[in-house]
Amino acid sequence: PNIDQQEGAEACHYFLQQRLKPSVPFGVITKIILLVLQSNVMNFMGRYFHQIKGTAMGTPMAVNFANLFMAKFEQELLFQYEKESGRKPSSWLRFIDDIFFIWTGDKRSLNDFMSFCNHFHEHNVYSSKIKFTFNTSTKSVNFLDTTVTLNPDGTLSTNLYAKPTAAHNYLHHLSYHVPYVIKSIPISQFTRIRRICSTIGDLGVKIYL
């Protein structure tokens, strides 16, 4: 909802130009994107409202639209900060609007970088007011459903993380879903946990061979 419609469409246009096989002209796709963004109408208590700002929640194209905007935004942000300070995160990974990055400088330079991120939209005249919240630690941080820990030898290990509000609700075994869907839940969950946990000892369960 914080992404300006025109700026988001321009970001999509930017990446569409980089396609190796542009089967559909990027100008046409850009017009379609703006048509979707500018045609969101909702009814509330008998009154109709036309959304004129941001992206509608639930629009099928919203995730790709936001991803492309953030990709262009972060490219410009990281490039400009490195150009001005000579520093940058040693690693920067993003999933939609969640970012994991590693900073190898001191705390002062990290604070400077975080401040730069939160004022980047102002200094570059962005209508999209993109703000960041940070959780930092020299030992471990939580990212999505993973806790990433810095080991004494300088390597990273991962373990399962669940938010305190996580309900852990799954399909009831008497649900009318087709049987293979219900049977796949334990397999998929254990597979997910095993992929996240760096060591067998972190699984918290006994494995009988």
Side-chain angles (χ1 to χ4, degrees):
N2 291 326
I3 299 175
D4 178 77
Q5 294 177 347
Q6 188 61 45
E7 289 177 350
E10 289 171 1
C12 294
H13 183 95
Y14 170 78
F15 286 106
L16 285 167
Q17 288 181 301
Q18 300 179 31
R19 290 178 299 164
L20 297 177
K21 296 181 179 180
S23 55
V24 180
F26 55 79
V28 173
I29 300 178
T30 302
K31 289 180 180 179
I32 294 173
I33 289 171
L34 285 172
L35 177 66
V36 172
L37 293 172
Q38 296 171 357
S39 302
N40 290 306
V41 180
M42 63 170 288
N43 178 288
F44 180 71
M45 297 184 69
R47 298 179 63 190
Y48 285 91
F49 297 86
H50 178 209
Q51 182 175 351
I52 60 175
K53 182 180 179 182
T55 314
M57 301 294 287
T59 300
M61 61 159 282
V63 174
N64 289 334
F65 173 80
N67 258 328
L68 292 173
F69 172 81
M70 284 304 301
K72 188 171 184 293
F73 186 86
E74 67 188 4
Q75 279 182 11
E76 295 175 358
L77 182 153
L78 295 172
F79 175 80
Q80 186 171 323
Y81 186 75
E82 184 179 13
K83 183 178 179 181
E84 294 180 5
S85 67
R87 295 187 297 266
K88 65 176 182 178
S90 60
S91 179
W92 178 280
L93 305 169
R94 178 177 54 82
F95 180 78
I96 316 296
D97 60 349
D98 290 292
I99 298 168
F100 174 84
F101 73 93
I102 298 174
W103 189 260
T104 55
D106 57 20
K107 190 170 183 179
R108 181 177 180 180
S109 64
L110 174 59
N111 289 335
D112 176 70
F113 175 68
M114 293 190 295
S115 176
F116 178 89
C117 290
N118 273 329
H119 293 90
F120 181 75
H121 70 278
E122 299 171 3
H123 297 158
N124 291 271
V125 199
Y126 266 94
S127 297
S128 306
K129 295 177 173 56
I130 304 300
K131 289 279 190 178
F132 299 85
T133 57
F134 296 88
N135 292 306
T136 64
S137 173
T138 57
K139 296 180 180 179
S140 67
V141 291
N142 298 318
F143 177 66
L144 301 176
D145 58 352
T146 304
T147 296
V148 183
T149 302
L150 177 63
N151 301 316
D153 61 358
T155 61
L156 297 177
S157 61
T158 56
N159 205 342
L160 186 67
Y161 169 73
K163 294 180 179 179
T165 55
H168 302 290
N169 290 328
Y170 302 101
L171 282 177
H172 194 278
H173 72 283
L174 296 179
S175 168
Y176 283 99
H177 284 74
V178 289
Y180 71 81
V181 171
I182 298 173
K183 291 179 180 179
S184 70
I185 294 175
I187 297 173
S188 62
Q189 288 302 307
F190 277 112
T191 301
R192 165 179 161 265
I193 294 170
R194 182 63 191 94
R195 286 173 177 170
I196 290 175
C197 295
S198 295
T199 64
I200 295 293
D202 289 333
L203 294 178
V205 296
K206 288 184 178 180
I207 298 179
Y208 295 95
L209 301 177

